[in-house]
Amino acid sequence: MNFFALLKDFLLQFLGLFKNLETLPVECMRLLREFLTKLGELCGITMPQWALDTVSALVLIVAILVTFLVLFALMSVFERKLLARAQNRYGPNRVGPFGLFQPVADGIKMLTKEDLVPRAADKVVHYLAPIVMVAPALMLPVFLPFGRGMVAVDLSVGILAFFALGAGTELAVFMAGWASNNKYSILGAMRAIAQMISYELPLVTSALVVALVAGTLSPTGIAEAQSGYFCGFLPKWFVCTPWGFAACVLFYIGALSESNRCPFDLPEGESEIIAGHLTEYSGFKYAIFFMAEYVGMFAVNGLLVTLFLGGYNAPFPFLEWVPTWCWFFIKLWAVALSMVWVRTTLPRFRIDQMMQFAWKFLLPMSFVTLLAAAAWYYAGQGPKAWMSPAAWSASALIVLLSYLLLGTFCFTRRHSATNRRYLFSE
Amino acid sequence: MNFPGSGIIKGMAVTALNIVGSYFDRAHAKRLITEQYPEERPKLAEASRSFPFLVFDGDDPEKGIRCVACKICEKECPPQCIYIVKDTDANGKPIMRPKVFDIDISVCMGCQICVESCPFESIRMDNIYEVSGYDRFAPLVLHKPQLLKSNAYYHGIRPTEAAATDARIEAARLRKEAAAKAAAAKVAAAKAAAAAKAAGEKAAETKPTQPE
């Protein structure tokens, strides 16, 4: 059996895989390993296990990178188009059909720009910041289950690892701000640190709520816990429960803030501090920051989908013929585009409003959802809670009452402008 | 209804309506009202004007040219952007036709004084607005072949004014004809009178004159 016969055999097998789209990605990986083993036999050597592992890991990395970079490219054009539509414009429609090749033009523009480094900058840190920014962002997607049995690294503490890695971007933002030696940059970096630390608390607490009910910290386990239906056809997603809905909204707001998107784009704040920590970056480094931001956003959205929107599960029983990984990406796009919708609608927060919102509303509210989830779990005796009226009413009551109370009394409008003193104006 | 967060929901509804509505507003009546410039062009107002051009009658620009190279516009032009050289015939005698007629549109300020001062209805304002060149000099000087445009074109861009101009030219032509006819009649009458007088004198010679 020569090499070409082997290749032909495996190509035919590969084409055969397209009969079952559901298992296609997993089977591709299995086929690759098999092919490498056979190839080794052809050459008269037995492939060692570590070589197989390395090659399949590399293929996985490339696959995930390509997927998320394509998502980033498409997002950059769809975001602009949606924003334009909200403002009664067409958006980019010059490059390619419907402007779909706009990311290519943008990429060429970015790559051919001069890479400026300020004379007074801390050159090493200035150079390192984009790398420190993009590395954790690109690592985040490996913990997400894209489909049934499709997770690159199936950690039992996947959510913990996700947040631990995700926190690394804060360091990068501060590195960028500090190294630029520019007052706007350092202001932006300071804001970014304040914001990210404040919003990480409600973000993690609302993820904790899900872990409490699902009884696991593994993203795969959580997605699996949301499979199945109640009342015959309604999905058992956590977003359908009162506490899950509240936690989902809190997580969404936290995700908006973590990915520095409107209305939480204070660290960049073009109209106030130019571009914050990005002020002194241009060309490829700026593109890297931009990419890290979008990939990070998609990763956090993926976690939101996994935690609350049923992960890769189909919404209704009659839609189960669609492959699970398709469902994951459909939901991912829905969440990402909803973020654009929020961006078109809401203006940027003032820094004190943002802090007030985080500490006076989001944090207490996330603790309340924790309480509501516990009430759901104990009133409904664990997994049976979906059909228990006691569980539904108890958690709904807790969530609604505390939302109304917190919402009414936390944001009483204070007219502070009358007695405001300007310290340095005279 | 007012509850915490209701303002955000209202705002989201407004933007959602705009985003979705823009895909269904085919007539561009309410949404997407911006003109897509290179593909769609504005319908210019009749009075809009940019730079002067020369009108010619009929099909042949050289034969139908109305300009007689009187140089009034050249003299009147405030920024002096018009340059005219009178043409000569084979014997070197000047004739009423421009040999060179240049307008430097980088200098022209579109004041329309040349149009006001032209006694031959020959120079008029154009409404072109996409004139550009690769440098500041040669491409921005329009020569006679570029400036000459037909009367039909003039009617196309500003029908009211062109009709009035045509009416004036027609009236002038009729007046001239009538004057010529009158002059001819006068000449004929004078001739007839002279002939009659001559005939009378002849008769007087033959017949005795009547008493006065």
Side-chain angles (χ1 to χ4, degrees):
Chain A
M1 194 176 180
N2 63 4
F3 174 71
F4 291 105
L6 185 72
L7 199 63
K8 191 186 157 200
D9 186 36
F10 272 93
L11 274 179
L12 283 178
Q13 278 195 45
F14 175 69
L15 290 180
L17 291 181
F18 280 88
K19 267 181 257 164
N20 191 352
L21 286 175
E22 166 68 43
T23 55
L24 176 70
V26 181
E27 289 293 301
C28 274
M29 288 307 291
R30 185 189 58 75
L31 204 65
L32 181 79
R33 287 176 83 100
E34 222 169 82
F35 177 70
L36 286 173
T37 322
K38 285 271 169 64
L39 198 66
E41 278 171 20
L42 200 70
C43 301
I45 46 168
T46 42
M47 271 295 174
Q49 190 61 37
W50 59 264
L52 284 180
D53 285 347
T54 314
V55 172
S56 49
L58 279 177
V59 169
L60 256 183
I61 288 169
V62 170
I64 288 177
L65 274 186
V66 167
T67 310
F68 273 77
L69 293 187
V70 167
L71 284 180
F72 157 60
L74 287 177
M75 183 66 187
S76 68
V77 61
F78 286 156
E79 173 164 26
R80 287 173 63 184
K81 283 196 97 81
L82 267 191
L83 282 177
R85 287 286 173 166
Q87 300 160 2
N88 287 343
R89 296 183 286 115
Y90 281 97
N93 61 357
R94 297 286 117 178
V95 196
F98 304 106
L100 278 179
F101 297 151
Q102 187 67 36
V104 181
D106 284 346
I108 293 170
K109 188 202 95 177
M110 283 291 190
L111 295 186
T112 50
K113 266 183 153 181
E114 186 186 357
D115 179 25
L116 285 170
V117 181
R119 195 182 294 155
D122 188 338
K123 299 221 167 40
V124 178
V125 183
H126 189 267
Y127 179 80
L128 278 179
I131 301 170
V132 177
M133 178 88 177
V134 80
L138 290 178
M139 267 192 259
L140 291 180
V142 295
F143 302 115
L144 301 174
F146 298 114
R148 192 160 275 128
M150 273 176 64
V151 56
V153 181
D154 196 2
L155 279 185
S156 61
V157 287
I159 292 175
L160 201 63
F162 188 96
F163 285 122
L165 265 177
T169 56
E170 286 159 40
L171 175 70
V173 167
F174 198 77
M175 276 168 77
W178 178 261
S180 296
N181 206 351
N182 173 326
K183 58 185 174 229
Y184 294 115
S185 297
I186 196 76
L187 261 177
M190 292 290 204
R191 283 181 176 195
I193 295 295
Q195 175 183 327
M196 284 177 173
I197 288 172
S198 309
Y199 278 81
E200 204 129 277
L201 282 167
L203 188 78
V204 175
T205 316
S206 47
L208 192 67
V209 172
V210 173
L212 176 79
V213 173
T216 171
L217 274 173
S218 133
T220 332
I222 287 170
E224 215 39 60
Q226 296 176 75
S227 60
Y229 306 91
F230 70 102
C231 298
F233 65 98
L234 293 170
K236 263 191 184 175
W237 300 353
F238 289 143
V239 73
C240 299
T241 63
W243 58 269
F245 181 73
C248 182
V249 174
L250 292 177
F251 192 92
Y252 185 78
I253 296 171
L256 278 175
S257 172
E258 284 298 299
S259 48
N260 285 342
R261 288 186 64 80
C262 236
F264 298 105
D265 59 347
L266 286 108
E268 282 163 42
E270 294 93 346
S271 50
E272 302 158 17
I273 48 171
I274 311 178
H277 58 281
L278 301 175
T279 306
E280 297 293 357
Y281 282 92
S282 62
F284 193 57
K285 284 182 193 159
Y286 181 83
I288 292 264
F289 268 110
F290 203 61
M291 187 179 81
E293 211 160 90
Y294 273 80
V295 171
M297 185 194 83
F298 268 110
V300 175
N301 287 349
L303 192 64
L304 188 139
V305 167
T306 310
L307 289 179
F308 299 103
L309 301 182
Y312 46 71
N313 290 303
F316 296 111
F318 61 86
L319 286 173
E320 276 189 341
W321 56 272
V322 181
T324 51
W325 46 274
C326 282
W327 279 118
F328 182 86
F329 284 105
I330 290 170
K331 290 173 192 174
L332 191 62
W333 269 113
V335 178
L337 293 180
S338 79
M339 285 190 164
V340 178
W341 181 18
V342 169
R343 186 182 158 184
T344 64
T345 311
L346 301 179
R348 190 182 303 133
F349 275 112
R350 210 170 55 204
I351 186 107
D352 61 317
Q353 291 171 336
M354 187 196 75
M355 283 295 163
Q356 213 178 39
F357 188 53
W359 294 101
K360 285 193 185 169
F361 180 75
L362 289 184
L363 191 62
M365 198 60 210
S366 62
F367 287 140
V368 165
T369 50
L370 203 61
L371 189 70
W376 161 278
Y377 197 78
Y378 286 104
Q381 284 131 34
K384 281 186 280 180
W386 285 97
M387 299 307 284
S388 146
W392 277 87
S393 49
S395 59
L397 207 66
I398 293 173
V399 167
L400 256 179
L401 272 183
S402 47
Y403 173 71
L404 288 177
L405 280 175
L406 279 172
T408 315
F409 294 112
C410 271
F411 299 114
T412 46
R413 199 167 289 180
R414 287 178 308 160
H415 297 283
S416 55
T418 47
N419 54 6
R420 183 181 286 165
R421 288 186 65 229
Y422 295 94
L423 283 180
F424 302 108
S425 66
E426 280 145 52
Chain B
M1 206 166 74
N2 258 330
F3 57 91
S6 58
I8 292 180
I9 293 173
K10 276 179 207 158
M12 299 283 279
V14 169
T15 42
L17 206 66
N18 237 8
I19 292 172
V20 177
S22 69
Y23 286 97
F24 293 97
D25 187 19
R26 288 272 170 240
H28 304 320
K30 207 175 157 202
R31 301 195 165 86
L32 297 176
I33 48 174
T34 310
E35 207 167 68
Q36 296 299 302
Y37 164 60
E39 285 90 24
E40 295 169 21
R41 270 145 205 285
K43 177 94 181 62
L44 289 176
E46 223 184 295
S48 70
R49 64 180 200 236
S50 56
F51 303 112
F53 74 103
L54 294 173
V55 189
F56 68 83
D57 295 307
D59 299 322
D60 185 14
E62 283 301 322
K63 258 185 208 152
I65 186 166
R66 289 182 186 171
C67 179
V68 296
C70 67
K71 298 198 182 185
I72 293 177
C73 52
E74 192 185 28
K75 287 188 193 92
E76 291 287 334
C77 181
Q80 304 186 352
C81 68
I82 304 179
Y83 175 71
I84 303 171
V85 174
K86 233 181 168 99
D87 206 356
T88 50
D89 65 3
N91 303 324
K93 200 179 150 206
I95 51 173
M96 288 163 87
R97 200 174 58 196
K99 186 178 172 194
V100 178
F101 199 113
D102 291 348
I103 293 178
D104 189 344
I105 60 167
S106 66
V107 175
C108 174
M109 60 188 197
C111 64
Q112 211 179 343
I113 286 177
C114 50
V115 177
E116 314 279 347
S117 65
C118 182
F120 300 96
E121 320 278 2
S122 134
I123 195 161
R124 282 293 180 265
M125 293 307 277
D126 208 344
N127 61 7
I128 48 165
Y129 52 89
E130 286 166 323
V131 245
S132 55
Y134 285 100
D135 67 61
R136 293 185 292 139
F137 307 106
L140 294 180
V141 176
L142 301 185
H143 301 290
K144 200 168 72 172
Q146 293 149 279
L147 286 170
L148 277 167
K149 283 170 183 171
S150 68
N151 198 23
Y153 172 83
Y154 182 35
H155 274 273
I157 60 170
R158 45 191 88 210
T160 321
E161 198 190 293
T165 307
D166 275 7
R168 261 201 310 281
I169 293 175
E170 184 64 16
R173 193 181 63 77
L174 285 177
R175 248 196 334 272
K176 212 171 164 185
E177 254 175 31
K181 217 179 259 172
K186 211 174 176 182
V187 168
K191 230 178 223 169
K197 207 178 171 188
E201 272 167 16
K202 223 176 202 175
E205 269 173 29
T206 51
K207 279 185 199 167
T209 47
Q210 278 165 9
E212 281 165 28

